[in-house]
Amino acid sequence: MTPKRTSWWLLAIPIVVLACGSSNSAGKQSPGGDAGSSEEGGAGEGGALEEGGMTGGDGSSPSGNNVAPLVVDNGPAGAGGSVDVSFISVTLCIPGTTTCQTIDHVSVDTGSSGLRILASELPSGFTLPQPNATTGSPLGECFTFDDGFTWGSVRSADVKIAGEIAAKIPLQLIDPNYATVPSDCSSTGSPENTLADFGAKGIIGINQIIPDCGSYCADTTVQPGGYYSCTGTTCADVAVAISAQVSNPIAFFASDSNGAVLEFPAIPATGAKTLAGSLIFGIGTASNNALGSASVQTVDEYGNFTTIFNGQTLTTSYIDSGTNSLSFNDSAIAQCSDGSGYFCPTSTVNLTAENKGLNGVTAMVSFSVANTDTLFGNGSDTAFDDLATVYGTSDSTTFAWGFPFFIGRNVYIGLDGAMTTGGKGPYVAY
Amino acid sequence: MGNARVPLGRVLATTTVALGCWLGGGHDAHATLGSDVASVAVNQQRLGAARQVQKVASGERHELRLPSGVVVHEYVSPAGAVYAITWSGPRPPDLRELLGPYFAQLARRDSYPRNGHHHMTMTGSDLEIRSSGHRGSFAGRAWVPSLVPSGVDVGASLD
């Protein structure tokens, strides 16, 4: 049995879009309201944006050894389409050698930690070494995202992005055919170990908290759904020291390792066909990553801070490039009729919230919520700064600032315990 | 199993019964969602949880506190059926145990619609699931629309 699927979700497949009869006009449909709260972009309203998207306000993109280009586009072929996901290319080398492979369309996720690559995207014969668990047997991992789990082996690689290198670090090689998926892994939800299920060729988690599991998986009391010691096809739960866990690669660069900046220029409220941005490594370590006047807000051990919105104090809020919408609860905004949870106000709503770090530093944030059906009605745009959805669970203490928050901003991610010109992480600054 | 590192500060309710060890893989998936109130006790035993029962406006709410720090609420209708389950904690729970025969739909679901890896909305066959989670914090709810007592707003009244 298949879940209900609304045709306009299949954005990236033109044939399906046409066949399902969704609006396919070439021109953009404007949202009902003026996008007064969004930052002014360089391209103006209306009209298709050129391939490659917009550049910064002065017309130039950041450049340098520590700059990796990011792109928001339709995603890799075969992954079913994508909206408001930013992708990066990552090079993996067999440690200490020049035998390397570059993988494109790795999604950038500030909501998790660690590099995960689909084994199916590496050529046969390209074999990375596999570290052992403390048992002496090879190390496997089940990583639980909220929408499913990735399963596979832990591998060791020199990870190269732009001019930065993280030498011999652990990563997860996602592979449904590795050993046998343990029952306490598969019991957490849906497998997403293929390109079609995962939606990208890999993911790079650049959360402030560096190891992907932390003390929870390092505890000598074995916890399910984390790391495994695999003998043949049989894998058993095993504890793994923090130093051996799959972790945010940035922390292991030889330089520019104290954090990163995500930069995306502003776009019209109606969206953009694609969007080019940058991931700049380091904070205050080079001429292109200074904090400037950004407001530094420290976060807790889960990356959370407080958002005050509609009179509510939401204490487990966070910024997450790996969520493709602004996600929060607001019963005053109409939801789309298909029950997907996306918002569909009759006209764009302009709102304000206040974010507050653990350090007490506050910043007001203006944002817009557009009608999702209208945004997707164009059928080919992949970037929107006003896409929003209900948070959707019993948790009423979270405002998840997803990828739309990153558009038109420089967002700084200060890593846990790392000193920067803005103080010690973990923090977010913008 | 020590609980010193439970990040959300949950404390096991030791005055209620905490039975046995979590059995791990290989057990029969026992129906809880959609099943009767007796199945909640089986969940409790298999998950090694402590349980408390509370009367609510439409039936009962059974609270299971798992050793992992996850808190599960199972809502039982006046007709005696578990019509909804909610969870919250530092890890995803054992959904195969809690969703019973409904788990197969989750395991086989299409990836669409996508909202990144930290949220999930699923509409299945007489099954709805909503969940969100990122490191250290996972929360969600699952319910069987045909079993929800009249007058209960799953979105507003379940925690």
Side-chain angles (χ1 to χ4, degrees), chain B residues 30-46:
Chain B
H30 192 97
T32 293
L33 185 65
S35 187
D36 61 15
V37 69
S39 67
V40 180
V42 179
N43 284 161
Q44 175 191 357
Q45 181 159 14
R46 289 179 180 274

Side-chain angles (χ1 to χ4, degrees), chain B residues 9-67:
Chain B
R10 303 286 184 178
V11 176
L12 286 179
T14 54
T15 54
T16 56
V17 183
L19 295 175
C21 302
W22 187 61
L23 296 177
H27 61 266
D28 292 335
H30 192 97
T32 293
L33 185 65
S35 187
D36 61 15
V37 69
S39 67
V40 180
V42 179
N43 284 161
Q44 175 191 357
Q45 181 159 14
R46 289 179 180 274
L47 298 174
R51 174 157 71 122
Q52 286 184 316
V53 182
Q54 185 180 353
K55 296 284 185 196
V56 293
S58 279
E60 296 179 337
R61 186 189 83 175
H62 294 238
E63 176 171 283
L64 303 183
R65 291 180 170 269
L66 277 54

Side-chain angles (χ1 to χ4, degrees), chain A residues 12 71-83 85 87 104-105 199-201 382:
Chain A
V71 64
V72 180
D73 66 14
N74 197 40
S82 181
V83 164
V85 176
F87 298 102
D104 63 287
H105 282 98
K201 296 184 180 181
T382 67

Side-chain angles (χ1 to χ4, degrees), chain A residues 3 5 80 186 190 302 324 394, chain B residues 7 96 106 110 112 115 123 141:
Chain A
R5 186 190 298 197
S186 58
S190 313
Y302 312 111
N324 69 358
S394 57
Chain B
R96 179 184 285 119
L106 176 61
D110 290 336
Y112 302 99
N115 187 11
T123 295
R141 64 183 62 202

